[in-house]
């Protein structure tokens, strides 16, 4: 399995025949800002944790141009169908549900956040509840993208049910848990082999580095790579 981080919460996962973009906020992402075309090359699936613009990102353009499968909650799927995404290429789910994506499965789990799309005049379109996503790959690592969230006690159930090997962990504070709390969540509730911090450094009002998380994970035995934007890691 290979993971590439494009800044914020945007990741590409390449595992076997599956080439997955999660929360592809790319062309408007100040950390990346190199367009969506390169990250989306050969992509087979687009997964969305929730409906905020900095997570849906370039999903519509990517889906229209690649024919990739959309995996998201029902509200997001139908919202993007309304923007021209092929209804025959959506794979909706919701909390507690697992969907077969062909080559891997995705389970929708809780996240403590909100989910909507900003419109004109301050209006917001409701886009269902936010989620974390657990990806199971036969014969490979299990990956948990937490989405945007705070710490919560039922993370213990996610560990019990899914035993994820890799955690993609928001650490930027203000809109998610900060680095120290994120480290507490990882140490108390999970047995990750690898934890990759994300959702930091993108905007001035969130933490600019993952240092608090890295310091909080010291001595845990968990691998915490300090990826640069656009860097790929093999796991």
């Amino acid at each position: 399995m290979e993971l590439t981080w494009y800044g914020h919460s945007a990741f590409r996962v390449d595992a076997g025949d599956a080439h997955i973009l999660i929360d592809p906020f790319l062309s408007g992402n100040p950390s990346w800002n190199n367009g969506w075309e390169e990250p989306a090359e050969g992509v087979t699936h687009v997964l969305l944790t929730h409906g905020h613009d900095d997570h849906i990102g370039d999903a519509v353009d990517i889906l229209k141009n690649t024919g990739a499968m959309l995996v998201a909650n029902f509200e997001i799927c139908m919202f993007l169908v309304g923007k021209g995404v092929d209804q025959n290429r959506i794979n909706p789910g919701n909390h507690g549900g697992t969907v077969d994506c062909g080559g891997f499965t995705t389970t929708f789990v809780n996240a403590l956040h909100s989910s909507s799309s900003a419109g004109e005049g301050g209006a917001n379109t409701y886009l269902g509840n936010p989620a974390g996503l657990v990806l199971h790959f036969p014969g490979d690592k299990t990956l948990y993208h937490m989405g945007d969230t705070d710490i919560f006690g039922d993370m213990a159930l996610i560990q019990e049910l899914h035993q994820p090997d890799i955690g993609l962990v928001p650490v930027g504070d203000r809109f998610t848990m900060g680095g120290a709390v994120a480290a507490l969540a990882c140490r108390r509730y999970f047995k990750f082999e690898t934890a990759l911090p994300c959702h930091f450094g993108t905007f001035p009002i969130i933490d600019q580095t993952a240092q608090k998380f890295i310091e909080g994970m010291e001595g845990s035995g968990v691998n915490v790579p300090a990826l640069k934007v656009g860097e790929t890691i093999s796991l």
Side-chain angles (χ1 to χ4, degrees):
M1 177 186 295
E2 290 189 337
L3 265 68
T4 305
W5 182 49
Y6 293 104
H8 209 52
S9 294
F11 288 87
R12 176 165 172 146
V13 183
D14 293 287
D17 293 330
H19 307 287
I20 305 158
L21 281 175
I22 306 176
D23 288 354
F25 176 48
L26 298 164
S27 63
N29 178 350
S31 296
W32 171 249
N33 206 28
N34 287 319
W36 57 263
E37 291 83 359
E38 179 188 336
E41 185 175 351
V43 73
T44 57
H45 299 77
V46 173
L47 276 56
L48 302 175
T49 62
H50 64 289
H52 288 154
D53 295 341
D54 59 332
H55 292 260
I56 287 181
D58 299 290
V60 171
D61 286 336
I62 294 168
L63 291 161
K64 285 182 178 179
N65 283 276
T66 64
M69 175 187 291
L70 171 62
V71 182
N73 71 31
F74 180 79
E75 289 87 350
I76 292 173
C77 283
M78 298 315 296
F79 180 70
L80 297 192
V81 166
K83 294 184 177 294
V85 170
D86 185 352
Q87 187 164 357
N88 295 314
R89 296 294 296 160
I90 64 173
N91 195 358
N94 215 324
H95 291 76
T98 298
V99 297
D100 186 349
C101 301
F104 69 100
T105 62
T106 300
T107 301
F108 294 76
V109 299
N110 281 346
L112 294 181
H113 196 57
S114 54
S115 178
S116 62
S117 178
E120 295 181 3
N124 283 278
T125 300
Y126 165 74
L127 289 178
N129 291 316
L133 302 174
V134 181
L135 281 60
H136 288 274
F137 299 89
D140 210 332
K141 307 289 188 183
T142 295
L143 182 148
Y144 171 32
H145 192 308
M146 293 186 178
D148 282 5
T149 191
D150 189 14
I151 191 173
F152 55 93
D154 283 351
M155 285 178 166
L157 285 174
I158 297 172
Q159 171 62 32
E160 181 179 351
L161 292 168
H162 298 285
Q163 301 176 355
D165 303 295
I166 303 164
L168 308 182
V169 186
V171 304
D173 215 337
R174 186 178 289 265
F175 300 112
T176 70
M177 54 190 170
V181 174
L184 174 63
C186 291
R187 298 181 74 130
R188 176 171 295 183
Y189 296 122
F190 295 102
K191 298 179 181 178
F192 293 135
E193 296 175 6
T194 301
L196 284 82
C198 63
H199 208 281
F200 67 90
T202 323
F203 306 112
I205 59 173
I206 61 176
D207 285 355
Q208 295 302 290
T209 74
Q211 192 59 35
K212 294 176 184 176
F213 179 72
I214 293 169
E215 291 174 357
M217 294 298 289
E218 288 180 357
S220 67
V222 179
N223 179 31
V224 184
L227 291 185
K228 297 178 181 178
V229 174
E231 186 176 355
T232 300
I233 185 172
S234 295
L235 298 167

